[in-house]
C-alpha cells in the first residue's frame, strides 16, 4: 500500500476534480486498508488464517459491502455510498501501480486473481511527495475561495 | 427492529460470510518455491536473515515467519529488507533483479499521520450528515 496520506490526497484531488463531496471520498479512499488489521492479530494468531480472513476488505466486493455498511449510518446514504465508491476506486487505482517485480492482485477475489507489475515500491515516498503539495495547493485555493474546510 | 438495522445486519452477515469464505479458500498460502520450479518468480519485502555461502542468503518474510533461499550476485547485509525477481532452480531463487528497501516502514509510520485527519473528517461528516440527528 502507499501510505494513507497519499491515498487521502489522491482521493481529495479526485473529489475536487469531480466536484464531489470530499469527506466521503476521503473515507472511501482508505477503507480497503481495513485489511491491514491483520498486522495486529498476526502477532497472536496464525498468520495465514488472519491474512486470509481480512483479505476480503481489500477486494472490490468486500469494500463495496463495508462501504454500504458505513454509508447506512448517514442521512443521504445513496449519495454518500457513491462518494465512498469513488474513494474506493481511487484506492485500487493507486494500489495497482505498486510492486515493479510483480504481485498477486486480489482485487477481484473470489472471481479471479492475476499478477500485476506496477512501477512504484510500496515504501516509496515519491507518491506522497507529489500528491501532498498538489493537494495542499488545491485545499488552500478552495479554503480561501469559500468557507469550506473539507 | 427498524428496517435499517435489518439491512445493516444483512450487510454485516455478508461481510462475515465473505471473510469465512476467504478463510476456507485461502488465497495466501505458505511459500513453497518448488511450486515455481523453472519459472520466474518474485519475493517482495523479505528480510536478509543470514549468509549461507558465497552469494547465497536465507531471507525471511516480514510476517508469517516464512523463509526462502536466494542466490544473488551482490553483497547484502543482515537485516536489510529486499525484494527479488528471478527464476527458481531447485527451490532456490536465482535473483536477476533486486531492490533494497531503504525505508521499509515508511508507509506504516507515515500513515499514522493520517489518523487524526481521518478522525476529524469522520466526526465532521457524522455531525452534519448522520441519519438520525439529535433533537
Amino acid at each position: 500500500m502507499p501510505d494513507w496520506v497519499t491515498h487521502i490526497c489522491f482521493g481529495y484531488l479526485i473529489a475536487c476534480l469531480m466536484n464531489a463531496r470530499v469527506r466521503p471520498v476521503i473515507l472511501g479512499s482508505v477503507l480497503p486498508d481495513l485489511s491491514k488489521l491483520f498486522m495486529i492479530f498476526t502477532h497472536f494468531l496464525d498468520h495465514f488464517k488472519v491474512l486470509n480472513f481480512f483479505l476480503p476488505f481489500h477486494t472490490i466486493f468486500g469494500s463495496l459491502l463495508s462501504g454500504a455498511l458505513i454509508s447506512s449510518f448517514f442521512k443521504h446514504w445513496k449519495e454518500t455510498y457513491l462518494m465512498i465508491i469513488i474513494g474506493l476506486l481511487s484506492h485500487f487505482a493507486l494500489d495497482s501501480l505498486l510492486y515493479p517485480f510483480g504481485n498477486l492482485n486480489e482485487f477481484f477475489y473470489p472471481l479471479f486473481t492475476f499478477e500485476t507489475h506496477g512501477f512504484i515500491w510500496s515504501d516509496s515516498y515519491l507518491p506522497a511527495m507529489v500528491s501532498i503539495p498538489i493537494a495542499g495547493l488545491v485545499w488552500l485555493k478552495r479554503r480561501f475561495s469559500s468557507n469550506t474546510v473539507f | 427492529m427498524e428496517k435499517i438495522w435489518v439491512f445493516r445486519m444483512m450487510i454485516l452477515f455478508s461481510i462475515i460470510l465473505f471473510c469465512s469464505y476467504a478463510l476456507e479458500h485461502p488465497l495466501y498460502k505458505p511459500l513453497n518455491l518448488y511450486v515455481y520450479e523453472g519459472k520466474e518468480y518474485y519475493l517482495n519485502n523479505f528480510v536478509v536473515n543470514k549468509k549461507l555461502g558465497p552469494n547465497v542468503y536465507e531471507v525471511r518474510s516480514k510476517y508469517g515467519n516464512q523463509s526462502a533461499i536466494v542466490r544473488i550476485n551482490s553483497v547484502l547485509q543482515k537485516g536489510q529488507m529486499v525484494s527479488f525477481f528471478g527464476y527458481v532452480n531447485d527451490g532456490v531463487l536465482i535473483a536477476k533483479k533486486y531492490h533494497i528497501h531503504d525505508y521499509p516502514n515508511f508507509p506504516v509510520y507515515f500513515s499514522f499521520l493520517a489518523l487524526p485527519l481521518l478522525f476529524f473528517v469522520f466526526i465532521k461528516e457524522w455531525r452534519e450528515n448522520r441519519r438520525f440527528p439529535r433533537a
Side-chain angles (χ1 to χ4, degrees):
Chain A
M1 62 165 192
D3 54 275
W4 282 1
V5 179
T6 305
H7 276 305
I8 287 173
C9 289
F10 194 63
Y12 177 73
L13 288 172
I14 284 180
C16 291
L17 275 175
M18 297 180 72
N19 213 9
R21 275 172 55 217
V22 170
R23 279 172 269 164
V25 178
I26 286 179
L27 289 177
S29 69
V30 289
L31 196 57
D33 275 345
L34 272 179
S35 65
K36 296 294 177 277
L37 282 172
F38 91 87
M39 286 181 183
I40 300 168
F41 294 102
T42 196
H43 297 293
F44 320 112
L45 302 166
D46 179 62
H47 170 71
F48 287 100
K49 283 185 179 169
V50 172
L51 185 63
N52 285 306
F53 185 78
F54 284 106
L55 160 78
F57 289 105
H58 209 264
T59 64
I60 287 178
F61 298 115
S63 52
L64 284 177
L65 284 172
S66 50
L69 185 65
I70 288 174
S71 59
S72 75
F73 286 92
F74 293 103
K75 199 164 38 185
H76 309 291
W77 71 269
K78 280 182 192 168
E79 190 192 336
T80 308
Y81 189 39
L82 195 66
M83 299 301 120
I84 285 178
I85 289 173
I86 292 169
L88 295 175
L89 294 178
S90 80
H91 183 103
F92 290 122
L94 264 187
D95 273 8
S96 59
L97 302 178
L98 295 177
Y99 298 109
F101 290 167
N103 196 44
L104 189 66
N105 190 317
E106 76 274 3
F107 296 165
F108 295 97
Y109 178 85
L111 292 181
F112 59 92
T113 56
F114 56 98
E115 285 185 2
T116 51
H117 292 262
F119 53 90
I120 306 168
W121 287 107
S122 58
D123 62 334
S124 171
Y125 51 82
L126 198 67
M129 293 300 108
V130 172
S131 60
I132 290 171
I134 298 172
L137 285 173
V138 172
W139 180 76
L140 282 173
K141 188 177 177 297
R142 279 168 62 100
R143 180 86 174 95
F144 291 110
S145 60
S146 66
N147 279 329
T148 55
V149 179
F150 279 109
Chain B
M1 190 185 263
E2 286 180 65
K3 275 182 190 171
I4 188 68
W5 277 104
V6 176
F7 173 75
R8 283 169 192 161
M9 289 300 137
M10 279 169 61
I11 296 284
L12 195 63
F13 179 71
S14 309
I15 291 172
I16 293 170
L17 209 62
F18 194 9
C19 291
S20 308
Y21 176 86
L23 200 62
E24 281 297 306
H25 302 83
L27 184 62
Y28 294 109
K29 294 170 186 165
L31 179 68
N32 181 9
L33 281 180
Y34 286 100
V35 175
Y36 307 99
E37 191 67 36
K39 293 176 189 167
E40 287 190 326
Y41 196 60
Y42 51 83
L43 295 174
N44 283 324
N45 301 325
F46 273 66
V47 181
V48 179
N49 190 35
K50 62 181 170 188
K51 190 171 182 174
L52 299 176
N55 298 338
V56 182
Y57 295 88
E58 187 203 54
V59 292
R60 278 186 180 276
S61 62
K62 192 175 174 184
Y63 298 104
N65 212 16
Q66 302 180 84
S67 64
I69 297 171
V70 176
R71 183 182 289 275
I72 182 171
N73 283 327
S74 184
V75 179
L76 300 176
Q77 305 297 324
K78 189 182 175 184
Q80 272 182 328
M81 189 176 278
V82 191
S83 291
F84 304 94
F85 179 76
Y87 61 93
V88 182
N89 184 21
D90 202 18
V92 177
L93 186 87
I94 316 292
K96 289 195 290 188
K97 289 192 276 186
Y98 70 101
H99 172 82
I100 297 171
H101 296 276
D102 295 322
Y103 312 103
N105 292 320
F106 170 77
V108 177
Y109 293 144
F110 199 52
S111 293
F112 282 111
L113 282 181
L115 279 176
L117 180 68
L118 275 176
F119 189 69
F120 170 75
V121 164
F122 184 77
I123 294 294
K124 202 162 169 59
E125 180 69 13
W126 175 249
R127 278 188 181 155
E128 286 179 17
N129 193 19
R130 69 176 145 203
R131 185 170 277 270
F132 302 112
R134 280 184 192 158

